Amino acid sequence: MDEAVIVKKAYDDAPEREWNRLEGFRFEFEITKRKMEKNLKKGSVLDIGGGPGRYSVWLAQQGFDVTLVDLSGGNVAFAKQKAEELGLSIKAYQCDARDLSSLDLGKFDNVLLMGPLYHLFKESDRKKCVEQARLHLKDGCPLFASFISITGGLNYYLDECPEEIIHEKAMDLFDRMEQDQTWSGSAFTEATFINNLEILPFFEGLGFEKLCLFGQEGITATRLSYLEQTGEEVRRFYLDLSLRLCENPQYFPYSTHMMYIGR
């Protein structure tokens, strides 16, 4: 079975899960917004795999003309509802990120690809998503693409439930970490945890120039549950430190998500 079928059902059944994951103060959301603000071009945004619309809504609030596309009809409906509740206008369509030809979308000043690359097992399918993104990107404009890091599973256990790791069935994840390889399999749903060393060659091979590569949680992923509940002064310290360090490759393993910005 195509992993996308399983992923679609997972998001259709619980579109609010991803919205709530970034509710309130979240290091991933705060760091990503700051890095995006430095690289976004004024105008239009195509949010491919935009889920329930967390980034689309934020961008619409900043004055961007936003179009969201997602595999999950549940996510699309949720995003439309959230935008309407906030008095915002976003366009939203259901479609597979590997082929957007049915939508006749045109070209955009910015394209986000922050979801599809998490879930596709085959590199050829991940390439299709990037090629679709490029088809809808104006010349010289930025692509924002996210991955789950190969250390993401370990970071989750260290942060949330360290004792539960002894029951982890996908122990080959740690074999892949040792071998500097990407892992794909069943996690929170079907997911691909990328070897960080593969990200730059992947985009270089597709003709992109790197503007930025950073860890979206900074250095906080192994302590997120605690740090996000601390006071503002403590959070500000770790946020500022993370922003200083998040582009340094030696600290990438501390993040569960990686973002590549290129053109």
Side-chain angles (χ1 to χ4, degrees):
M1 179 185 294
D2 186 344
E3 60 270 16
V5 175
I6 299 172
V7 171
K8 180 181 181 299
K9 184 179 186 306
Y11 284 102
D12 279 342
D13 289 346
E16 70 283 353
R17 179 180 60 187
E18 177 66 12
W19 181 272
N20 291 337
R21 190 179 71 81
L22 295 177
E23 184 71 18
F25 179 90
R26 292 290 184 266
F27 277 92
E28 176 192 342
F29 195 37
E30 298 302 323
I31 292 168
T32 302
K33 286 191 295 184
R34 284 159 174 75
K35 290 295 183 181
M36 290 178 70
E37 285 170 339
K38 291 184 177 180
N39 291 278
L40 284 161
K41 288 188 176 291
K42 291 182 180 180
S44 57
V45 175
L46 175 61
D47 189 359
I48 304 174
R54 175 62 76 175
Y55 284 95
S56 281
V57 165
W58 170 67
L59 287 163
Q61 289 171 326
Q62 311 309 307
F64 288 90
D65 178 10
V66 180
T67 299
L68 177 147
V69 177
D70 198 81
L71 178 68
S72 162
N75 273 343
V76 170
F78 190 96
K80 286 181 176 179
Q81 177 187 336
K82 279 294 182 182
E84 185 177 342
E85 289 173 1
L86 294 167
L88 300 168
S89 176
I90 66 170
K91 296 177 283 292
Y93 307 99
Q94 181 182 357
C95 197
D96 190 314
R98 291 171 290 187
D99 184 2
L100 304 178
S101 59
S102 64
L103 298 179
D104 192 24
L105 292 170
K107 290 186 179 288
F108 294 77
D109 299 297
N110 308 273
V111 174
L112 277 55
L113 194 59
M114 299 168 60
L117 304 180
Y118 295 176
H119 296 298
L120 293 167
F121 290 2
K122 296 178 182 177
E123 184 179 32
S124 59
D125 279 337
R126 298 194 291 273
K127 286 182 177 180
K128 286 179 184 177
C129 291
V130 176
E131 287 163 354
Q132 287 294 300
R134 179 165 53 193
L135 282 173
H136 294 89
L137 190 62
K138 294 179 182 177
D139 289 346
C141 288
L143 170 70
F144 302 81
S146 290
F147 298 86
I148 300 176
S149 168
I150 187 63
T151 54
L154 178 61
N155 290 343
Y156 168 79
Y157 282 107
L158 287 170
D159 178 43
E160 294 276 352
C161 49
E163 68 282 356
E164 292 298 318
I165 202 166
I166 63 172
H167 305 299
E168 173 59 65
K169 295 179 180 178
M171 296 302 288
D172 60 324
L173 167 66
F174 305 113
D175 296 333
R176 295 297 182 92
M177 288 175 64
E178 183 180 11
Q179 296 157 10
D180 277 341
Q181 295 178 347
T182 289
W183 177 87
S184 297
S186 294
F188 57 100
T189 183
E190 302 302 271
T192 290
F193 290 19
I194 200 78
N195 167 23
N196 296 335
L197 300 177
E198 296 180 12
I199 296 175
L200 291 180
F202 175 75
F203 283 104
E204 287 170 0
L206 292 170
F208 280 82
E209 172 193 357
K210 185 193 83 166
L211 299 175
C212 182
L213 177 64
F214 67 96
Q216 291 176 256
E217 287 85 3
I219 58 167
T220 69
T222 61
R223 294 289 284 162
L224 275 177
S225 296
Y226 176 76
L227 289 173
E228 288 177 345
Q229 302 305 315
T230 58
E232 182 179 354
E233 185 178 2
V234 174
R235 291 200 308 267
R236 183 179 299 279
F237 175 86
Y238 282 101
L239 178 59
D240 290 344
L241 182 60
S242 291
L243 287 165
R244 289 166 56 193
L245 300 178
C246 65
E247 292 187 51
N248 189 322
Q250 67 178 318
Y251 302 117
F252 287 169
Y254 288 90
S255 280
T256 294
H257 299 84
M258 298 293 302
M259 175 173 274
Y260 173 90
I261 306 175
R263 62 188 171 197

